[in-house]
Amino acid sequence: MTEHETLPMAKALNAGMRAAMERDEKVLMMGEDIGTLGGVFRITEHLKRDFGPNRVFDTPLAESGIIGTAIGLAMRGYRPVCEIQFDGFVYPGFDQITSQLAKFHARTQGDVSLPLVIRIPYGGHVGAIEHHMESPETYFAHTPGIRVVSPSTPNDAYWMIQQAIESDDPVVFLEPKSRYWPKGEVNLDEPSAPMVETRIARAGEHVTLIGFGAQTTMNLQAAQLAEDEGVSVEVLDLRSVSPIDWDPIFDSVRRTGRAVIAQEAPGNVSVGSELAATIAERCFYSLEAPVLRVSAYDVPFPPARLEKQYLPDVDRVLDAIDRTLDY
Amino acid sequence: MTVAREFASVLSPEGKLEPTEAFEPFADRLKQANDELWGTAFRQMKLVRAFDREGTNLQRQGQLALYVQLEGQEAAQIGSGLATRPQDTVFPSYREHGVGLVRGLDLVKILALLRGVTNSGWNPEEENNFRNYTLVIASQTLHATGYAMGQTLDGKVGTGNADEDEATIVYFGDGSTSQGDLNEALVFAKSYNTPEVFFLQNNHWAISVPVSVQSPVPLYRRADGFGIPSVQIDGNDVMAAWAVTGQFMDDARAGKGPSFIEALTYRMGAHTTSDDPTKYRTRDEEQHWRERDPIDRLEKYLRAQGTTDAFFSDIETEAADYASDIRRRTLALPNPEPLQMFNHAYAEPNQEIERQQMAFFDFEASLEEDA
């Protein structure tokens, strides 16, 4: 019999990392406050207790230091999993990620691979303060050599973190923090699809709605509301932001003839831009309407009391669906 | 120009053994050395200088995109390199051709990087743990620290087995000391008590910016703030570089943690062949350091010990042959296959890269058909 458990994403991630650590003793956890405290979101709770301080350790407060030393550990044969405490704190480590981590495999012609995971709690909808609600995926998606993924469900979180750890490529693993606490069913036996694949989260006929991370949940809500109005929306969950698994996207858009992209990040030169451009290029003769994007505005993340206006909400997604159907 | 006498030095510019007070804690190590070791050091310094001049010539003749000169820093590099053991790991910056030579790296591989036929050039596993050059300054200090953390986790430190205990040495310049990464590396090194030697080659100029603009305090004293023992050495004294590095590497392997060496030396040439030091420094300053040339002073010492003319002339011949062999093999380096740029962007399959590789292939093939 298949073992299922109902878990919040936070616990699913913890269980996934525990499974990865049990399987491979080279897997290490490192980051700020991840040991005794278990991380500010408790994602690494009890791992230090159970695996010891040599495998789960608190680092000094220095993001470049965390990622740079993790690179050295990976060179030594370890598989470090680094936690960056919040999205807006990853930038001090940006040089190590983009100049070093991303490029080593290519520049050494495959001699040195760096199987390293950088976990980043990211995104809004949690009412936090400055630097605590950002969506930095585009910076990393633009850089060849690293993979950028984001789960939207506890089941995907459980499996994708294990796949990220097992990957020989460096992976930026974006954890949608607004999805940490809602529970969902996790199938502990049957792996979800490989993290590189786009998932059809809901089948539909009239419009293809594309997103990832926490946005997928909102997109599913929008699809449900649209159905009440007689509109059938197909919801795609990217899971892998870089590289993007294109074929399921092209297949869907060719069927529906319409595409709407929704994301938490600002729209300028973003993952949504890439989706819109590529869909226009590859599905031109199937499109019944322009590809529309719904995103945050191109301004710094505003004070939390304005995040409802700043981030895409269900109404803005529904509005875009209506507009694309008007053509 | 005055040089602080607080540094550890033993071999005077006149080639005489004149240990300074700061050298005393390391003086005993010289008993482990003999004239054969210094003969080896001399030979390697001569070879790498010949390599250096050939590299400069090759760049001037348009055969290299860039060359990074090391002349003047041979003693710091050869001395410290000779103090490492085979099981140790070396993290260079981008000027450590001398250390590479000591570790057994075929230096043509450095010129392959500078000629633009590769971004890296060698597999450290096959080159006696001499890691790849790092061009973004101070980045490698963190990699080294993480690697040294791994040596500890692997149980390769402090076991008392001198043939298996490992340490890491990381090289960087005075410019790197201004970078956040080096400071973070020192914090991490002390936090995790890494088996590591931080080897600063203070060659006095970060391209055109003198050390005095970056630090009013001698750089080795910064280590104090991290709780890391440090020594300033005469970086043009191969004996001091060997003895002090050897002591600290032994300490690191024994589990005594990280240490910091500041080797005061001088880059006689330019920062790279793109640079023009005549714009920012004086001939007097260069002359001051020319008189402290690391190779000349060891030659004076060896001659005083009775080393024969034949020894020196043999090395002269060998160095000339070495340089011409380097030239020949550099010019013979093949260009990389264009399709290979797609091959290693990712370690695992990536459909999009494969599609782009195919598109490239088809496009190139179409050009051939058109021709």
Side-chain angles (χ1 to χ4, degrees):
Chain A
M1 194 182 135
T2 318
E3 195 183 341
H4 285 74
E5 236 182 284
T6 304
L7 294 174
M9 185 184 282
K11 298 275 185 206
L13 287 165
N14 182 279
M17 292 196 288
R18 179 178 291 277
M21 294 189 83
E22 280 166 358
R23 247 193 323 272
D24 183 354
E25 64 177 22
K26 292 290 186 185
V27 176
L28 306 176
M29 304 277 151
M30 56 195 287
E32 297 163 10
D33 307 301
I34 67 152
T36 308
L37 179 67
V40 293
F41 291 103
R42 311 291 185 267
I43 309 301
T44 55
E45 193 163 44
H46 301 322
L47 295 178
K48 180 183 170 194
R49 181 194 70 190
D50 297 340
F51 292 97
N54 280 350
R55 294 190 61 195
V56 182
F57 48 87
D58 290 322
T59 62
L61 272 66
E63 284 74 16
S64 192
I66 293 169
I67 294 158
T69 53
I71 288 172
L73 281 160
M75 287 174 173
R76 182 75 190 179
Y78 287 91
R79 302 181 93 85
V81 181
C82 308
E83 178 175 298
I84 300 297
Q85 203 154 57
F86 279 96
D87 34 47
F89 303 165
V90 71
Y91 307 117
F94 191 77
D95 170 56
Q96 285 290 345
I97 298 174
T98 55
S99 298
Q100 306 298 331
L101 180 62
K103 293 184 175 144
F104 242 96
H105 193 262
R107 63 191 287 262
T108 62
Q109 287 296 300
D111 289 338
V112 180
S113 48
L114 299 176
L116 199 159
V117 177
I118 301 172
R119 295 177 38 241
I120 310 176
Y122 85 112
H125 301 296
V126 294
I129 58 167
E130 197 180 16
H131 309 301
H132 289 66
M133 293 210 286
E134 301 184 5
S135 294
E137 67 271 12
T138 301
Y139 299 111
F140 305 115
H142 187 66
T143 303
I146 36 182
R147 294 176 183 272
V148 183
V149 304
S150 181
S152 68
T153 67
N155 191 52
D156 263 353
Y158 177 76
W159 289 107
M160 285 169 69
I161 189 66
Q162 295 181 63
Q163 293 163 356
I165 292 168
E166 282 165 13
S167 172
D168 285 333
D169 282 317
V171 180
V172 171
F173 193 89
L174 296 167
E175 299 172 2
K177 65 176 95 75
S178 67
R179 304 307 303 164
Y180 269 154
W181 302 284
K183 290 182 176 179
E185 192 165 275
V186 177
N187 180 336
L188 296 171
D189 293 334
E190 186 74 26
S192 66
M195 67 179 183
V196 297
E197 290 184 9
T198 296
R199 176 177 74 101
I200 299 174
R202 176 189 171 111
E205 294 166 25
H206 301 147
V207 181
T208 302
L209 175 59
I210 310 167
F212 57 91
Q215 188 64 42
T216 298
T217 309
M218 184 176 293
N219 290 351
L220 286 167
Q221 287 166 13
Q224 184 60 48
L225 291 167
E227 186 174 276
D228 297 343
E229 306 287 320
V231 177
S232 169
V233 177
E234 179 146 298
V235 178
L236 300 187
D237 179 12
L238 288 184
R239 301 166 85 246
S240 174
V241 173
S242 179
I244 290 170
D245 175 27
W246 289 107
D247 286 342
I249 298 169
F250 300 149
D251 289 348
S252 176
V253 173
R254 283 178 187 136
R255 271 190 288 107
T256 64
R258 291 177 165 83
V260 172
I261 298 146
Q263 66 181 19
E264 282 191 35
N268 186 37
V269 200
S270 61
V271 173
S273 312
E274 186 61 32
L275 285 161
T278 307
I279 291 169
E281 196 175 299
R282 297 291 296 276
C283 305
F284 184 73
Y285 290 108
S286 306
L287 286 171
E288 305 284 345
V291 181
L292 296 184
R293 283 179 293 156
V294 186
S295 67
Y297 299 106
D298 294 329
V299 297
F301 205 103
R305 297 297 172 98
L306 291 175
E307 72 167 329
K308 278 189 169 28
Q309 288 78 31
Y310 168 76
L311 293 170
D313 62 4
V314 171
D315 287 336
R316 279 170 64 194
V317 175
L318 287 170
D319 174 65
I321 291 170
D322 285 346
R323 281 190 287 133
T324 189
L325 287 164
D326 281 345
Y327 282 87
Chain B
M1 156 142 219
T2 55
V3 176
R5 297 307 298 175
E6 55 193 311
F7 63 23
S9 176
V10 56
L11 186 64
S12 76
E14 293 72 36
K16 299 200 170 93
L17 296 183
E18 293 173 356
T20 62
E21 203 174 310
F23 185 74
E24 273 174 20
F26 309 95
D28 264 2
R29 290 193 74 85
L30 287 184
K31 291 176 192 156
Q32 298 173 28
N34 53 32
D35 285 345
E36 190 185 335
L37 174 69
W38 304 131
T40 301
F42 181 82
R43 174 177 169 271
Q44 289 181 329
M45 290 201 285
K46 289 291 278 187
L47 289 185
V48 79
R49 182 166 289 186
F51 168 82
D52 199 60
R53 292 186 173 163
E54 197 62 56
T56 305
N57 292 341
L58 283 163
Q59 193 282 332
R60 295 291 183 233
Q61 292 157 2
Q63 297 297 335
L64 303 176
L66 184 78
Y67 181 73
V68 190
Q69 294 160 310
L70 73 69
E71 181 164 339
Q73 300 181 216
E74 293 90 348
Q77 295 194 13
I78 302 294
S80 61
L82 284 171
T84 60
R85 282 172 166 266
Q87 70 269 26
D88 294 330
T89 295
V90 178
F91 280 80
S93 176
Y94 46 71
R95 200 188 295 282
E96 280 70 47
H97 322 323
V99 190
L101 182 76
V102 175
R103 296 296 296 188
L105 175 72
D106 178 357
L107 298 192
V108 167
K109 294 180 179 180
I110 292 173
L111 298 189
L113 165 67
L114 298 169
R115 189 168 163 85
V117 303
T118 169
N119 280 337
S120 180
W122 60 90
N123 184 346
E125 309 271 329
E126 297 163 4
E127 303 290 349
N128 303 305
N129 309 328
F130 186 74
R131 306 297 308 193
N132 300 110
Y133 273 7
T134 305
L135 304 186
V136 180
I137 64 170
S139 290
Q140 79 282 3
T141 61
L142 282 170
H143 306 164
T145 302
Y147 193 90
M149 288 162 66
Q151 289 174 319
T152 304
L153 290 173
D154 286 346
K156 295 289 191 183
V157 179
T159 69
N161 183 338
D163 293 328
E164 289 201 4
D165 280 345
E166 297 183 23
T168 291
I169 183 166
V170 57
Y171 290 86
F172 51 97
D174 41 289
S176 290
T177 63
S178 297
Q179 286 277 0
D181 275 2
L182 172 62
N183 289 275
E184 294 186 25
L186 291 166
V187 171
F188 275 66
K190 192 61 192 172
S191 294
Y192 300 107
N193 201 44
T194 53
E196 185 176 10
V197 174
F198 288 87
F199 195 97
L200 159 61
Q201 289 170 91
N202 177 352
N203 67 17
H204 285 83
W205 292 92
I207 305 189
S208 67
V209 179
V211 171
S212 57
V213 169
Q214 302 177 67
S215 181
V217 173
L219 288 166
Y220 77 101
R221 281 168 52 189
R222 289 199 186 173
D224 276 353
F226 297 92
I228 292 176
S230 67
V231 172
Q232 188 182 55
I233 67 169
D234 180 346
N236 285 13
D237 172 356
V238 71
M239 295 182 181
W242 177 84
V244 176
T245 308
Q247 181 61 51
F248 282 165
M249 289 295 278
D250 278 359
D251 290 349
R253 286 187 219 95
K256 293 182 185 169
S259 57
F260 188 108
I261 296 169
E262 178 189 11
L264 282 178
T265 182
Y266 195 75
R267 155 200 12 116
M268 292 307 302
H271 165 67
T272 70
T273 45
S274 302
D275 176 28
D276 178 6
T278 63
K279 288 190 171 171
Y280 54 81
R281 66 189 194 192
T282 64
R283 286 193 173 257
D284 283 352
E285 181 183 306
E286 289 171 14
Q287 186 55 34
H288 170 88
W289 286 96
R290 183 67 68 197
E291 289 160 10
R292 283 154 184 76
D293 185 273
I295 298 182
D296 290 350
R297 75 167 78 173
L298 185 58
E299 180 169 341
K300 286 176 197 161
Y301 169 82
L302 289 172
R303 285 191 185 278
Q305 301 305 303
T307 307
T308 62
D309 284 346
F311 171 84
F312 295 105
S313 65
D314 283 355
I315 287 179
E316 208 65 57
T317 308
E318 184 188 357
D321 290 349
Y322 178 66
S324 45
D325 183 58
I326 290 278
R327 157 175 290 269
R328 182 184 57 74
R329 290 192 294 127
T330 300
L331 298 179
L333 286 169
N335 284 340
E337 281 294 321
L339 277 172
Q340 84 168 37
M341 70 182 158
F342 298 96
N343 287 347
H344 300 289
Y346 292 84
E348 296 189 346
N350 180 320
Q351 281 184 2
E352 183 55 23
I353 304 295
E354 285 161 16
R355 187 192 66 74
Q356 291 179 18
Q357 185 174 27
M358 197 56 78
F360 170 87
F361 182 80
D362 290 346
F363 182 72
E364 295 287 306
S366 76
L367 296 179
E368 279 171 32
E369 281 164 24
D370 291 346

